[in-house]
Amino acid sequence: MSSAGDTESAPRSGGAVLSAITDAPINILIVDDEPKNLTALESLLDSPGYRLVRAESADQALLALVAEEFAVLILDVRMPGMTGFELAQIIKGRKKTSRIPIIFLTAYYSEDQHILEGYGSGAVDYLHKPVNGPVLCSKVAVFAELHRKGREVEISNRALLAEVTERRRAELELKDLNENLDRLVFERTRALEQLQSDLREADRRKDEFIATLAHELRNPLAPVRSAAQILQRQAPADEAQWARDVIVRQIGIMVRLIDDLMDVSRINQGRIELQRERIDLARVLEIALEASRPHMAERGHEVQVSGAEAPLWLDGDPTRLSQIFVNLLTNAAKYTDHGGHIRIEVARDEAEVSVSVADDGIGIPAEELGAVFDMFSQVHSTVSRSQGGLGIGLSLVKHLVGLHGGRVSARSPGPGQGSVFVVSLPLLADQQVPRSVASPATEAAAAESLRILVVDDNVDGAEALLRLLELLGHEVRMVHDGEAAIAAVAEHRPQVMLLDIGLPLMDGYEVCRNVKSQPWGKHLAVVALSGWGDKEAQRRGEAAGFDRHLVKPVDESVLVSTLASLQKRTLPRRAP
Ligand code: ADP
């Protein structure tokens, strides 16, 4: 038997393997007990495309079949020992070799035919001896080609299977990656949400802190202001007068800063509320000019107002509207050198009025113009801070103008060339002049001596207020807690009680409710003194029975006009 030669080698790449298979000679096993018959077959089938393996017995054939793969088996039927048929039966019975096509060489057609049929068709054929060479060659060629194709298909299948497996693996990997990514995104989102909520919480706490800080800062200011105002009323030497003026002016600045701080937290919490009324723009500008004139006078600025002759009626909150222009005018004064010019121009444009506040000061660089209305933004921070600025004023202006349905803009030709701020506000549709408007001055003039009880747990605060009221000509007593207040009202029957809200044990609301329920409560006007001036605080006060609500530190003129208005409206005359 000849050598089995190369068997199938290790897997190679698809195309290379295919061509190696196509080019490799096809194995053909020839089995005959007669060596000369084998030699005859070899010469018949001699071709570079075939590799002929000889077996001279059934045993040799079986060994060869175990060792190699064959495209076709040419088998002599009559062999000593095991016949060709018996061998074929074994071959067909084994899984590995069952599909090898067999060509039997038989001498007797009739005796073998029925046996051949038993093996089925296709894989088994037969030829009569003496063998017809061309017939054998063509049958072998068919089986060889079939084998080659089979191998090709098998290799392709294997490659396909490898590809499918690889694709599946890649899909699984992708799925894993996706799941990882999803998890990462989920964790990241959770972390960001947490961060966002932490930030929101920190921001809320900051707002609360600013509000509390401003509130607490106000408390000590109230007695200082009253004390300074008392000093101012006494006729002093020049030096002392100067010192008192400084105190009053600086306190004014601190009060404004603290008010701004409170407004920041109100803006952030959306708690600024307008107390609207019909108001003439000229009156608003008058109040604003009055408040900011000291700044301008101090720096020798020349102020001009034009276009505000005819009344222009707005529906707005007088305090908040004045605050808008106080801020713009104070800024104009702050950022304009000594001896500069400030011009206010009012122009009506159908249903709207625009007020421009122009100065010839240090101006604003073009790239900063967009940011000046942002909270805490300061272009000239050194100048600004030296004059008590927090970078809040213009953002308040923008917010307040917005609440009034208007808009504000800034322009400047550049540094050193001044700035112009323009506020546009909607006018009331009805521009008729109302019949009469009471002025606070007339109310103030009506004030006369009252019996007043001051209630404040801040002893300095109560004392300062008591002295100021006494200087104003009133008869004043003070107590420092709620129970004492109720007792003092019962005993002395004051006409007015100035009552601090934040008292220990029994707060101002409770004291107010208590005294208002007494028979003498009807003739008593109760004025709240509170660090809080918002609508909610006022509503609570009204519900408890307060007649007026004043925000600490109370300015002397506000105190005077409040007492005057109370006296005019509700209080019975004092017993002589
Ligand atoms: P501040 O308290 O710092 O004055 P504002 O919010 O009122 O804060 O103003 C923001 C910034 O805009 C100021 O710091 C200042 O740099 C600039 N600015 C405002 N008004 C003027 C002006 N009339 N001329 C020049 N710069 C101005």
Side-chain angles (χ1 to χ4, degrees):
M1 174 182 140
S2 65
S3 126
D6 276 345
T7 52
E8 194 186 328
S9 56
R12 284 172 261 183
S13 76
V17 172
L18 263 182
S19 70
I21 298 296
T22 316
D23 297 343
I26 297 284
N27 284 343
I28 297 170
L29 182 60
I30 47 180
V31 189
D32 202 312
D33 58 323
E34 275 295 333
K36 66 175 186 333
N37 285 350
L38 289 174
T39 309
L41 283 171
E42 277 174 340
S43 62
L44 261 178
L45 296 169
D46 184 35
S47 150
Y50 299 151
R51 180 172 152 271
L52 299 168
V53 177
R54 299 162 60 114
E56 291 176 9
S57 66
D59 289 345
Q60 275 185 11
L62 285 172
L63 278 175
L65 283 164
V66 168
E68 296 185 64
E69 196 179 302
F70 292 91
V72 60
L73 181 60
I74 300 168
L75 184 54
D76 181 28
V77 173
R78 289 183 182 270
M79 287 191 296
M82 193 186 295
T83 67
F85 290 135
E86 285 162 345
L87 176 59
Q89 242 165 345
I90 293 172
I91 291 168
K92 292 285 166 190
R94 285 184 182 164
K95 197 165 175 239
K96 189 184 167 211
T97 51
S98 65
R99 299 179 69 83
I100 298 180
I102 300 172
I103 300 173
F104 289 109
L105 299 180
T106 167
Y108 311 98
Y109 170 78
S110 54
E111 95 183 76
D112 300 329
Q113 193 180 14
H114 69 283
I115 299 166
L116 293 176
E117 282 168 357
Y119 292 107
S121 59
V124 179
D125 206 342
Y126 62 90
L127 283 175
H128 288 281
K129 287 182 178 173
V131 174
N132 180 328
V135 172
L136 178 66
C137 282
S138 74
K139 282 186 190 287
V140 167
V142 168
F143 287 128
E145 187 52 26
L146 213 64
H147 182 75
R148 206 189 309 274
K149 288 270 184 274
R151 292 294 305 276
E152 277 178 18
V153 169
E154 194 186 323
I155 297 293
S156 299
N157 278 348
R158 252 186 248 166
L160 209 63
L161 190 71
E163 203 179 308
V164 169
T165 311
E166 172 59 20
R167 202 168 278 181
R168 231 174 249 158
R169 195 193 56 73
E171 271 171 17
L172 281 176
E173 204 169 289
L174 201 67
K175 200 167 150 237
D176 268 8
L177 280 174
N178 271 341
E179 279 171 7
N180 268 350
L181 201 68
D182 281 352
R183 208 187 57 245
L184 271 176
V185 169
F186 178 73
E187 284 168 3
R188 208 44 197 266
T189 311
R190 283 269 297 273
L192 278 175
E193 279 169 1
Q194 183 59 42
L195 205 66
Q196 202 181 23
S197 102
D198 289 352
L199 274 176
R200 227 181 271 133
E201 176 59 18
D203 194 44
R204 194 189 57 73
R205 259 187 270 128
K206 178 213 69 191
D207 285 337
E208 254 176 42
F209 167 74
I210 293 178
T212 314
L213 175 73
H215 183 249
E216 292 305 310
L217 282 173
R218 266 178 169 171
N219 282 338
L221 265 188
V224 175
R225 175 177 249 186
S226 305
Q229 282 168 343
I230 289 163
L231 280 178
Q232 253 185 338
R233 296 184 73 85
Q234 294 167 348
D238 281 356
E239 285 277 298
Q241 178 66 52
W242 174 84
R244 288 160 199 153
D245 288 349
V246 169
I247 296 175
V248 171
R249 203 166 45 245
Q250 294 303 317
I251 287 175
I253 294 175
M254 272 190 82
V255 168
R256 216 187 54 236
L257 283 176
I258 292 169
D259 283 349
D260 279 0
L261 263 183
M262 289 207 82
D263 281 342
V264 168
S265 62
R266 287 198 191 110
I267 285 184
N268 290 343
Q269 295 166 29
R271 279 176 42 204
I272 286 196
E273 293 158 9
L274 298 182
Q275 317 219 331
R276 287 178 185 268
E277 59 183 69
R278 181 185 172 87
I279 173 114
D280 180 9
L281 175 66
R283 175 76 191 128
V284 170
L285 293 177
E286 198 182 315
I287 299 171
L289 271 165
E290 220 170 271
S292 43
R293 208 175 290 278
H295 295 274
M296 302 177 200
E298 200 182 314
R299 296 166 69 84
H301 291 140
E302 193 186 297
V303 188
Q304 272 181 14
V305 184
S306 63
E309 297 79 23
L312 289 165
W313 296 101
L314 306 167
D315 175 34
D317 182 330
T319 312
R320 294 305 192 176
L321 284 172
S322 320
Q323 193 181 354
I324 294 171
F325 296 105
V326 168
N327 271 311
L328 294 180
L329 289 167
T330 318
N331 276 352
K334 268 201 310 198
Y335 302 106
T336 301
D337 285 343
H338 206 274
H341 300 83
I342 297 169
R343 227 178 39 243
I344 303 172
E345 271 178 17
V346 178
R348 182 178 177 173
D349 179 14
E350 306 205 345
E352 214 179 59
V353 61
S354 66
V355 184
S356 71
V357 178
D359 61 57
D360 53 1
I362 60 177
I364 301 169
E367 67 276 12
E368 303 281 358
L369 273 172
V372 289
F373 293 104
D374 292 348
M375 186 77 82
F376 311 129
S377 101
Q378 291 187 320
V379 183
H380 318 95
S381 49
T382 347
V383 188
S384 170
R385 293 219 187 95
S386 71
Q387 314 224 13
L390 296 171
I392 291 172
L394 285 182
S395 75
L396 268 175
V397 164
K398 187 173 176 193
H399 193 78
L400 294 175
V401 170
L403 284 180
H404 281 91
R407 54 192 191 283
V408 59
S409 62
R411 58 175 199 271
S412 168
Q417 301 183 64
S419 319
V420 186
F421 288 82
V422 183
V423 174
S424 305
L425 293 165
L427 284 168
L428 262 178
D430 172 16
Q431 287 290 309
Q432 294 300 308
V433 184
R435 283 214 195 102
S436 83
V437 184
S439 87
T442 52
E443 286 180 352
E448 58 180 69
S449 179
L450 292 166
R451 229 172 24 248
I452 301 176
L453 177 67
V454 171
V455 188
D456 196 336
D457 62 327
N458 181 332
V459 178
D460 278 351
E463 178 107 32
L465 195 55
L466 174 135
R467 286 171 186 246
L468 180 61
L469 289 166
E470 280 180 350
L471 277 174
L472 290 169
H474 301 290
E475 185 190 319
V476 195
R477 282 170 201 276
M478 66 174 173
V479 291
H480 306 299
D481 63 67
E483 280 182 11
I486 292 167
V489 171
E491 189 180 344
H492 304 291
R493 309 285 171 88
Q495 294 161 290
V496 178
M497 173 159 62
L498 296 174
L499 177 56
D500 181 33
I501 299 280
L503 295 170
L505 303 175
M506 184 188 286
D507 68 14
Y509 298 118
E510 208 177 327
V511 175
C512 184
R513 270 192 295 270
N514 185 304
V515 295
K516 285 279 178 165
S517 68
Q518 308 292 340
W520 52 83
K522 277 198 278 302
H523 304 301
L524 172 66
V526 187
V527 179
L529 295 178
S530 167
W532 304 106
D534 55 291
K535 248 189 182 155
E536 179 51 31
Q538 295 193 16
R539 258 194 296 269
R540 277 194 73 187
E542 269 169 38
F546 281 99
D547 300 277
R548 292 287 192 280
H549 190 103
L550 297 181
V551 181
K552 289 201 266 185
V554 182
D555 187 68
E556 185 186 322
S557 61
V558 176
L559 190 62
V560 168
S561 63
T562 305
L563 292 176
S565 73
L566 282 173
Q567 191 173 46
K568 255 178 77 184
R569 227 173 281 175
T570 52
L571 302 177
R573 293 261 146 205
R574 291 180 54 141

